[in-house]
DNA sequence: TGTATTCAGATAGCAAGCTATGCAAATGGC
DNA sequence: GCCATTTGCATAGCTTGCTATCTGAATACA
């Protein structure tokens, strides 16, 4: 149990992620942006247009997950979908002015939370933490692909 | 975007947690134990009995989340609930022999995944990673409580 | 050209987290 | 002893992840 809670990389990572998400939801509330909207928001922040498939790949979620996220974003007035004239299977997704107007606020929130989370670490430790996370992710991604 | 994906502690932590969970689900499949069952399993592994409230506290989830988890565990034959004679509000939760019989296998899976995830880190880095995670968690828990 | 395959998206259904709310049992103050 | 508060649990309803499966459009090949 102490083994699990305190010494398990998986347990600690999962708990940290839940705490990050809670704080993110709290701070994003006034913007109308949900955590799952963020990858879409940043992918289309330059006013560009992508298909659902491309957005799913960038967000590293499965296609039905992205479809549901886009449905909620459309409901909330954050995106528009229009049919691709060149390929009638595709829907082209674009941010609305409402969503574009929240980008700065969202970036400030993300930055504030990351700063808060790392505030007890020395500057070198912050880079170290991110580096270790990237290496752990690398191993798990390789396993996931296999 | 590169800022978000590569340099955001929140993004990286969340992505790592999702990868951990995917691998855990995959490896736990033959045991019939879902990831959310694990805190309950370990809390009651010694054959003891706890209330739903106590289990929720240990797992650090809200009461309705634990209620739903216990419902699924009951459906899967992993726990029994019996009324507390001393306090008719409480249900006393105990693991079934079926669940008790999976504990060793679950511990092996947890251990294997943690070992895999950290296999590219030097022994000192592994301790460092867990320590940094604990410190980040500490800050976020304090913020969450506030 | 026509059929087989691949590809994009939709939909159904489940897991596991959350908040809000209701109810019945226990407790505490008067 | 009675009423108000607290406490434990259930339930409704939401988000966000997943897999499995269907459909219709595009493509490839024979």
């Amino acid at each position: 149990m102490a083994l699990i809670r305190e010494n398990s990389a998986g347990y600690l990572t999962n708990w940290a992620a839940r705490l990050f998400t809670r704080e993110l939801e709290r701070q994003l509330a006034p913007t109308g942006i949900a955590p799952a909207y963020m990858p879409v928001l940043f992918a289309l922040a330059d006013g560009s247009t992508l298909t659902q498939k491309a957005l799913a790949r960038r967000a590293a979620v499965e296609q039905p997950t992205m479809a549901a996220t886009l449905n909620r974003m459309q409901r909330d007035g954050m995106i528009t979908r229009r049919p691709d004239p060149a390929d009638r299977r595709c829907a082209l997704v674009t941010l609305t002015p409402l969503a574009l107007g929240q980008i700065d606020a969202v970036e400030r929130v993300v930055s504030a939370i990351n700063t808060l989370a790392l505030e007890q670490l020395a500057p070198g430790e912050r880079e170290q933490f991110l580096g270790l996370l990237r290496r752990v992710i690398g191993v798990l991604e390789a396993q996931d692909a296999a």
Side-chain angles (χ1 to χ4, degrees), chain A:
Chain A
M1 206 150 341
L3 179 140
I4 298 303
R5 264 190 89 99
E6 295 296 311
N7 293 344
S8 164
Y11 179 88
L12 292 174
T13 302
N14 192 57
W15 181 219
R18 279 170 57 206
L19 289 167
F20 266 114
T21 300
R22 281 190 203 175
E23 188 57 27
L24 192 59
E25 262 175 354
R26 203 188 294 185
Q27 291 198 27
L28 283 182
T31 67
I33 302 292
Y37 298 0
M38 289 185 21
V40 177
L41 198 71
F42 290 122
L44 303 178
D46 59 355
S48 63
T49 287
L50 288 173
T51 64
Q52 187 183 106
K53 176 79 174 182
L55 288 168
R57 199 175 340 106
R58 292 227 195 167
V61 298
E62 297 301 316
Q63 170 263 320
T65 299
M66 182 51 68
T69 297
L70 292 176
N71 284 343
R72 290 193 301 274
M73 292 186 78
Q74 194 166 31
R75 179 202 64 194
D76 296 349
M78 297 294 175
I79 58 155
T80 57
R81 279 157 155 155
R82 77 168 186 289
D84 184 345
D87 185 338
R88 278 181 297 164
R89 289 172 308 181
C90 300
L92 299 177
V93 179
T94 319
L95 293 185
T96 63
L98 175 63
L100 288 166
Q102 301 301 327
I103 289 175
D104 285 0
V106 171
E107 276 178 351
R108 277 192 297 273
V109 165
V110 169
S111 183
I113 293 179
N114 282 327
T115 299
L116 166 74
L118 304 181
E119 78 181 4
Q120 294 295 318
L121 308 191
E125 289 178 320
R126 292 173 196 164
E127 258 320 304
Q128 210 160 26
F129 181 57
L130 299 182
L132 291 167
L133 266 175
R134 286 189 207 106
R135 287 162 70 193
V136 168
I137 286 170
V139 172
L140 292 173
E141 277 179 337
Q143 186 72 10
D144 189 54

